[in-house]
Amino acid sequence: MTADAARAENEAAVRRYCDAWKRGDVAEMLACYHDEIVLHWFGSGPLAGSHRGKAAALQALGEQGKRARRSLVEIVDVLASDAHATALVRERFERDGRSEVLDRVLVYRVRGGLLAECWVYDRDQRLVDELLR
């Protein structure tokens, strides 16, 4: 595959995911995940670490949803290269009457047109850790 074709595939996969996210189409979002997806969360919170495989990633996302209600505020941009695609997003986290809008960078590795790996970088990791405890 040429570098241009790889870039286009990476961008298309992440845009498909982001479009489903904007519509609130959870089934389509899940269809974008590779069966062997690895989800990397940083920080010192209880969910920090790498969650390997679709089942483990979905379990971690479910646990995150139990700890704080998340909602998409906006997809700021999608950027792609032949190696990765990145979504710059803003999400609202709500917990115990507190509401915070967080800037996040989601870096994806795509395999076979599906999201195979994701690194989540938060502008304020301390705040995320606090909200998810």
Side-chain angles (χ1 to χ4, degrees), residues 20-97:
W21 195 1
K22 284 191 268 189
R23 292 190 315 272
D25 186 343
V26 174
E28 179 66 15
M29 290 172 67
L30 298 179
C32 292
Y33 292 156
H34 193 283
D35 286 343
E36 297 174 8
I37 189 168
V38 180
L39 176 59
H40 304 280
W41 283 332
F42 299 100
S44 61
L47 300 174
S50 295
H51 306 276
R52 298 182 184 283
K54 196 171 189 176
L58 294 178
Q59 182 178 8
L61 288 164
E63 182 60 30
Q64 187 180 64
K66 290 177 187 175
R67 292 171 182 268
R69 194 174 120 218
R70 295 175 37 226
S71 58
L72 178 66
V73 174
E74 100 182 277
I75 304 291
V76 176
D77 206 350
V78 172
L79 311 161
S81 73
D82 60 336
H84 297 90
T86 302
L88 308 174
V89 305
R90 299 185 83 213
E91 284 188 81
R92 180 177 317 281
F93 277 53
E94 297 178 88
R95 182 172 183 180
D96 300 330

Side-chain angles (χ1 to χ4, degrees), residues 2-3 5 9 12 17 20-21 28 40 52 55 58 64-65 72 77 83 85 92 94 106 109 111 118-120 126 128:
T2 68
E9 179 183 60
Y17 180 76
W21 195 1
E28 179 66 15
H40 304 280
R52 298 182 184 283
L58 294 178
Q64 187 180 64
L72 178 66
D77 206 350
R92 180 177 317 281
E94 297 178 88
L106 311 175
R109 185 176 54 79
R111 186 168 68 196
C118 178
W119 295 263
V120 179
R126 178 203 54 77
V128 172

